[in-house]
Amino acid sequence: MTLIRASLIVVMATVFGVATVVSASAQDLPDAFAKQLRDLEESRFGILSNSVTNLHAHGDSLWVGPFLNLTTDGGQTWKVADADSLIGTANRVFSIDIEASTIWVGLGFVDNASGDGVQSAGGFVFSTDGGNTWSYRSTQLDRPGETTVQYGVSTLEALDIIVPQQSPPFDIDFDPAGDLWVAGWASGVRRSSDGGATWRRVVLPPDTLDAIHPDTAYMFRIEPRRGTTGWLNHMGFSVLIDEAGTVWAGTPAGVNRSLDGGLSWRRFSADGSPDRLTGSWVISIEEQQLPGRNAIWMATWNAGEAGENGRFGVTVTRDGGETFEQMLIGERVFDFAFEDGYVYAAADNGVFISSDDGATWTAVRYFVDAQDPELSLRADLRVFSVATTRDAVWVGTSDGLVKSTDHGATWRVFRINVPLNPDEPSASVPRVDSYAYPNPFSPAADLFVRIRYEDAGAGDTRLRVFDFGMNLIDEISPGSKPAGLTEVRWGGTSNDGLRVPNGVYFYTVETGGRSASGKILLIE
């Protein structure tokens, strides 16, 4: 099973003439707390970002991006991977795959040098001992001058992709037989037979052909779409090797299927009919384990120049690509997971749950913590990722991670948990009375900022917010709060309900005879 995900907050932009997923930084974890996280040590912060765009489950283990958090006990404790190329760098997790004790993680970062926030390749980290130790491999790029590719009887011209910009590893799949496959957008689909030390291009059909075979002579150029030149089908977004050895490669121009290990290919795309793909941009491919032939589920989008005949939705094949079914028409889906006959689809409008193989669906759009409703997620969140451990389904959202052990009937919420007043404060875990997140805070994007604090006894709570001149801006009295760790929210408005301007604001929380204070940077 593989995942495609960008890191942190996902927004839409236009690249190469089609829409793509772009990540923007979020400051969930203060810099002072982001250091010294090593050696799979227990994380006292829980997950390290409240925007959870990567999930991958393996047995009882759940790996969470963008910082490779791990829990093996249902979220009671969390660890952080000792991956030097991730913590303390601009890199974030873009893709994860696990086979037995081997873990491969595709890294990427957002290059803001040009001001456009271009997603870029950051290489790979991998572990062969279940995550105890990690090694690094460089990006899947060409050497300058590698401008020809031998494909069977044909010598094809190729654009050499030599810079990391526009080539993040959106998806990765490790075949236990020995090959590693990556879908890297402008760098296309590539494979490595030596553990990521070297990479070679996978030749897919150009947009003008539905199939290619190495015994046929061709003259097309291998080139990703750049403006009006190149091919959409040479831009890799998803890849999967299924139980039968069939290779599936998703691009903005369809899904490509190879029955001979990646030599010959047939391309399927949207043509407006109900027995094809809903849309030609295939952003996710996942395999559902079933008796007999496994089902292949695809998030098929309508986007850009390949979208004339397409719609957003889900496409599934249960016979290896001979026939296709469409469902969840109109929904923009990002990810899939499966458990005991249930299918879960993570989408913009929530997580969709089916207990009858996709015939009917139930949508969960609001996630209320069963133990503490104050921890419940924002109503306008987006669902990015989903995974299933042995006894639970996990859903990654733009506002936190949630878990259900009853197929979505009830939920528990997990967010970044900065220790308040630790027993043993240190340089990496200082003494903190309260914590506001997200910070910086955008009222338009975030709706409200959460202010977390802890009190020894129950009592009435009062939040007061002041501007830089210490003038009282807003006062909120949410009523009595229980003892322990809790939160109160501020929506970035004054007492009269008007939006306050950008700037630094100070707050004080008073409850049960104690007070805590801090500051918030509001940026619209």
Side-chain angles (χ1 to χ4, degrees):
M1 175 180 279
T2 56
L3 290 183
I4 357 171
R5 284 290 79 84
S7 62
L8 303 182
I9 302 172
V10 177
V11 296
M12 297 304 294
T14 299
V15 178
F16 294 134
V18 297
T20 186
V21 181
V22 177
S23 59
S25 62
Q27 297 185 10
D28 288 321
L29 190 67
D31 289 342
F33 299 128
K35 301 173 181 177
Q36 310 302 322
L37 299 175
R38 289 293 187 268
D39 303 327
L40 276 177
E41 292 180 350
E42 183 176 346
S43 169
R44 284 166 284 184
F45 315 113
I47 59 174
L48 298 186
S49 173
N50 291 319
S51 187
V52 180
T53 51
N54 298 83
L55 291 174
H56 195 101
H58 187 71
D60 292 323
S61 298
L62 179 75
W63 292 87
V64 180
F67 294 109
L68 270 189
N69 291 134
L70 167 68
T71 182
T72 58
D73 55 14
Q76 297 182 55
T77 60
W78 294 90
K79 297 180 180 181
V80 183
D82 178 20
D84 289 337
S85 301
L86 182 59
I87 300 298
T89 75
N91 283 331
R92 298 294 180 263
V93 174
F94 270 56
S95 50
I96 310 173
D97 191 38
I98 303 175
E99 296 290 345
S101 60
T102 299
I103 306 169
W104 276 90
V105 180
L107 303 178
F109 64 96
V110 177
D111 184 356
N112 291 307
S114 64
D116 296 329
V118 177
Q119 294 186 112
S120 305
F124 306 87
V125 290
F126 70 97
S127 173
T128 58
D129 56 13
N132 290 310
T133 60
W134 295 85
S135 300
Y136 176 78
R137 289 288 186 266
S138 59
T139 55
Q140 75 286 359
L141 301 177
D142 299 314
R143 291 187 296 270
E146 288 186 319
T147 56
T148 61
V149 174
Q150 193 67 36
Y151 177 66
V153 299
S154 305
T155 301
L156 304 176
E157 293 185 358
L159 175 69
D160 50 343
I161 308 298
I162 60 176
V163 296
Q165 288 78 10
Q166 301 290 6
S167 289
F170 279 128
D171 201 8
I172 190 169
D173 197 6
F174 175 64
D175 182 355
D179 278 0
L180 180 67
W181 300 71
V182 63
W185 200 226
S187 62
V189 176
R190 304 200 174 201
R191 67 192 294 184
S192 173
S193 299
D194 54 13
T198 60
W199 294 89
R200 61 187 185 275
R201 299 174 192 250
V202 174
V203 180
L204 298 178
D207 297 3
T208 53
L209 296 175
D210 290 332
I212 58 173
H213 191 282
D215 292 340
T216 302
Y218 300 102
M219 295 183 63
F220 61 82
R221 178 177 168 86
I222 301 174
E223 183 176 6
R225 174 64 63 87
R226 297 178 299 154
T228 58
T229 64
W231 310 111
L232 293 172
N233 203 47
H234 287 173
M235 304 174 71
F237 214 94
S238 52
V239 64
L240 172 74
I241 297 86
D242 70 18
E243 52 145 7
T246 301
V247 186
W248 304 85
T251 76
V255 65
N256 299 265
R257 183 192 68 181
S258 175
L259 302 178
D260 55 10
L263 297 177
S264 58
W265 293 89
R266 180 181 175 188
R267 179 169 63 95
F268 304 88
S269 58
D271 62 4
S273 63
D275 56 355
R276 299 279 283 191
L277 278 60
T278 70
S280 289
W281 189 8
V282 182
I283 73 124
S284 179
I285 309 173
E286 301 291 346
E287 183 176 13
Q288 180 188 17
Q289 301 291 328
L290 292 172
R293 188 69 165 92
N294 287 347
I296 304 299
W297 293 74
M298 292 170 278
T300 41
W301 288 15
N302 173 37
E305 298 173 19
E308 293 87 350
N309 296 311
R311 297 177 293 175
F312 286 95
V314 169
T315 304
V316 60
T317 177
R318 306 180 193 278
D319 52 16
E322 297 305 310
T323 61
F324 296 95
E325 304 169 32
Q326 298 181 358
M327 55 195 70
L328 291 179
I329 301 298
E331 299 295 341
R332 190 162 67 179
V333 175
F334 296 101
D335 195 16
F336 303 97
F338 315 98
E339 175 198 24
D340 296 333
Y342 281 77
V343 179
Y344 302 92
D348 259 350
N349 292 320
V351 61
F352 290 83
I353 304 173
S354 175
S355 59
D356 53 13
D357 257 350
T360 59
W361 296 84
T362 300
V364 178
R365 304 179 190 275
Y366 305 103
F367 298 92
V368 177
D369 190 279
Q371 299 178 8
D372 184 357
E374 287 292 330
L375 298 178
S376 302
L377 303 192
R378 287 168 31 185
D380 69 332
L381 60 78
R382 299 171 71 190
V383 174
F384 296 139
S385 52
V386 61
T388 54
T389 50
R390 286 193 178 96
D391 62 350
V393 57
W394 300 79
V395 178
T397 80
S398 57
D399 193 37
L401 175 67
V402 293
K403 166 192 173 184
S404 176
T405 57
D406 51 17
H407 304 296
T410 60
W411 299 92
R412 183 184 173 191
V413 173
F414 298 83
R415 288 200 189 91
I416 185 172
N417 179 22
V418 173
L420 301 180
N421 297 313
D423 294 335
E424 298 180 5
S426 65
S428 61
V429 189
R431 188 175 298 280
V432 178
D433 292 323
S434 67
Y435 172 57
Y437 69 95
N439 198 3
F441 156 59
S442 165
D446 303 315
L447 289 188
F448 48 79
V449 58
R450 289 184 170 91
I451 299 169
R452 173 170 284 200
Y453 60 94
E454 188 171 18
D455 189 47
D460 289 339
T461 297
R462 180 175 66 165
L463 169 69
R464 293 189 295 168
V465 181
F466 304 86
D467 64 15
F468 197 76
M470 296 310 294
N471 301 301
L472 182 63
I473 297 298
D474 199 5
E475 184 172 331
I476 300 172
S477 299
S480 181
K481 293 281 188 178
L485 191 65
T486 189
E487 295 180 349
V488 64
R489 303 172 181 176
W490 178 54
T493 58
S494 59
N495 270 320
D496 55 10
L498 297 178
R499 183 69 53 82
V500 299
N502 291 350
V504 176
Y505 294 86
F506 301 92
Y507 67 85
T508 299
V509 179
E510 299 174 351
T511 181
R514 289 184 58 183
S515 66
S517 59
K519 65 180 179 180
I520 301 167
L521 176 60
L522 189 149
I523 300 178
E524 195 57 86

